[in-house]
Amino acid sequence: MNLRDEVRDVCSVGITAHEKPDGDAVGASLSLAMYLEKLFAEEGREVRIDVFLEPYPQNLQDHIPGARFLCKKEDALTAPYDVFFAVDTGIGRTGEAEELARKAKKRVNIDHHASNPGEAEVCEIDKAASSTCELLYRLMEKPLIDHDIAQALYVGLITDTGCFKYSNTGPESLRMAADLLRFGFDFAKIVQETFFERTFLQQKILGKVLSESTLYLDGRLIVGTLTRAALQELGARREDIEGVSSDLKLTAGTHCAVFLHEDAENSWRVSLRSDERVNVASVAEHFDGGGHVRAAGCKVQGALKEVLPEFLRLIAEEMGKTGE
Ligand SMILES: [Mn+2]
């Protein structure tokens, strides 16, 4: 796909990404908006560019430039957009913006999720790409990239590669990072604040969950819990407990981590993490949840002492399948 060709005759561009946008979704949306603005300026054209994203965390707001393109749905064009880009997701998971995307004269979809149904007229879907930002970088004409575009792309790249530590990190990801760093943004601060930093409350919650966690199945499974009473005592909200399951999974020897937190009396939100040896998606599906092989979630009802044995049984079964 050639980006310049896709926007050749347009007067309006809409851009969106998935619900609950992460660093890759925001980085891809805003870098694309900034890039197209430069491309249109170079061609001497006036084109309206609107980006539609659900609210996203403060640390991403702080470090991803281009927020000037954000548009509320009520301020959108009433006429159909000439072209609508969906990035880091299929059209069907774009939330409020889906209606605008469906109504547009043409849809372009750029994504790296294997589950993308590819329903747009123009699709650039590569599940081998580490991130949508990596895919976008491949499509961008390099002389048009500037400091802010580079920074937005970089945040997306580090988000989806886990700062270059996940197995999706390839030579192309590292070459891209090397090229982007030359623009001189403060990558050390960005990594620290978008990736590693936690609030004091998040630290305390993590400490509490870890210190009260239990090992099962000969140390291959770790389980952490947080009751409603504990959550209230700490004054924690849902975003304060994000990432706890991944931290549980860092425990040496474990193949799987389960984190349960009680969001109403005897109602548990469950977050599962694993290495590739345990398919937690199939565990979550048993409780009408879902996700990926390595990360999944579900909701369950009941007292912990009834709920937990079910998880132990299902996870032991999954481990049995792969001989782990
Ligand atoms: Mn992504």
Side-chain angles (χ1 to χ4, degrees):
M1 185 225 291
N2 183 312
L3 280 173
R4 199 181 279 271
D5 288 343
E6 296 309 332
V7 296
R8 193 162 296 286
D9 304 308
V10 305
C11 295
S12 59
V13 177
I15 299 173
T16 191
H18 56 75
E19 298 158 309
K20 288 197 211 147
D22 59 6
D24 191 30
V26 179
S29 303
L30 297 182
S31 65
L32 179 59
M34 292 186 280
Y35 175 83
L36 291 177
E37 181 185 54
K38 287 200 71 174
L39 191 151
F40 294 138
E42 188 204 69
E43 294 183 350
R45 294 161 59 195
E46 283 268 352
V47 178
R48 174 165 168 160
I49 304 169
D50 291 339
V51 178
F52 302 91
L53 289 173
E54 286 185 1
Y56 50 90
Q58 185 63 47
N59 54 2
L60 297 181
Q61 291 178 39
D62 292 343
H63 293 297
I64 303 181
R68 65 184 183 278
F69 292 102
L70 292 173
C71 181
K72 293 202 178 75
K73 201 185 173 199
E74 56 266 32
D75 300 325
L77 287 180
T78 44
Y81 283 85
D82 290 333
V83 61
F84 217 98
F85 287 85
V87 295
D88 204 33
T89 182
I91 309 279
R93 294 196 51 206
T94 52
E96 272 203 331
E98 182 178 349
E99 196 190 325
L100 294 167
R102 299 251 178 234
K103 194 168 87 167
K105 293 182 187 157
K106 182 174 83 173
R107 279 144 293 277
V108 178
N109 194 184
I110 302 169
D111 190 17
H112 69 125
H113 289 94
S115 56
N116 190 308
E119 54 179 331
E121 287 89 333
V122 183
C123 287
E124 182 77 20
I125 297 160
D126 179 2
K127 63 178 165 51
S130 70
S131 52
T132 298
C133 282
E134 185 175 313
L135 203 43
L136 262 181
Y137 180 69
R138 208 188 283 166
L139 296 170
M140 287 176 175
E141 295 170 27
K142 305 300 176 279
L144 286 175
I145 295 177
D146 61 18
H147 175 281
D148 284 2
I149 297 170
Q151 183 170 326
L153 289 171
Y154 192 77
V155 174
L157 182 64
I158 60 168
T159 300
D160 275 21
T161 59
C163 288
F164 312 109
K165 71 179 185 285
Y166 300 154
S167 57
N168 63 1
T169 307
E172 194 183 337
S173 332
L174 295 172
R175 263 182 230 116
M176 169 179 167
D179 291 346
L180 295 180
L181 288 195
R182 286 194 302 227
F183 287 93
F185 50 83
D186 192 347
F187 63 89
K189 186 172 166 35
I190 292 170
V191 167
Q192 171 68 14
E193 293 182 5
T194 59
F195 212 83
F196 291 109
E197 230 171 61
R198 296 190 191 96
T199 63
F200 184 50
L201 181 56
Q202 286 170 327
Q203 294 280 57
K204 294 218 306 195
I205 292 167
L206 181 61
K208 181 174 171 59
V209 175
L210 287 174
S211 68
E212 293 169 4
S213 62
T214 313
L215 290 174
Y216 295 94
L217 305 176
D218 300 324
R220 292 171 300 168
L221 167 67
I222 185 165
V223 176
T225 57
L226 208 51
T227 62
R228 193 165 156 76
L231 277 165
Q232 279 168 347
E233 194 186 325
L234 289 160
R237 290 161 307 165
R238 202 168 158 195
E239 58 261 41
D240 298 319
I241 50 179
E242 221 139 272
V244 169
S245 51
S246 303
D247 283 300
L248 282 167
K249 177 64 197 68
L250 291 176
T251 311
T254 60
H255 296 327
C256 187
V258 180
F259 173 55
L260 304 99
H261 79 269
E262 193 180 21
D263 65 347
E265 182 79 29
N266 280 335
S267 165
W268 301 85
R269 281 187 178 274
V270 187
S271 166
L272 302 118
R273 293 289 180 276
S274 79
D275 50 29
E276 262 143 23
R277 291 175 277 201
V278 184
N279 182 351
V280 288
S282 82
V283 175
E285 279 159 20
H286 183 86
F287 300 101
D288 288 327
H292 307 282
V293 173
R294 298 164 65 122
C298 57
K299 278 188 83 167
V300 292
Q301 311 288 332
L304 202 53
K305 63 177 191 302
E306 291 153 16
V307 166
L308 201 52
E310 271 285 272
F311 279 98
L312 296 188
R313 186 179 64 76
L314 289 162
I315 290 164
E317 216 175 278
E318 283 301 321
M319 286 178 175
K321 281 184 198 167
T322 48
E324 299 290 344

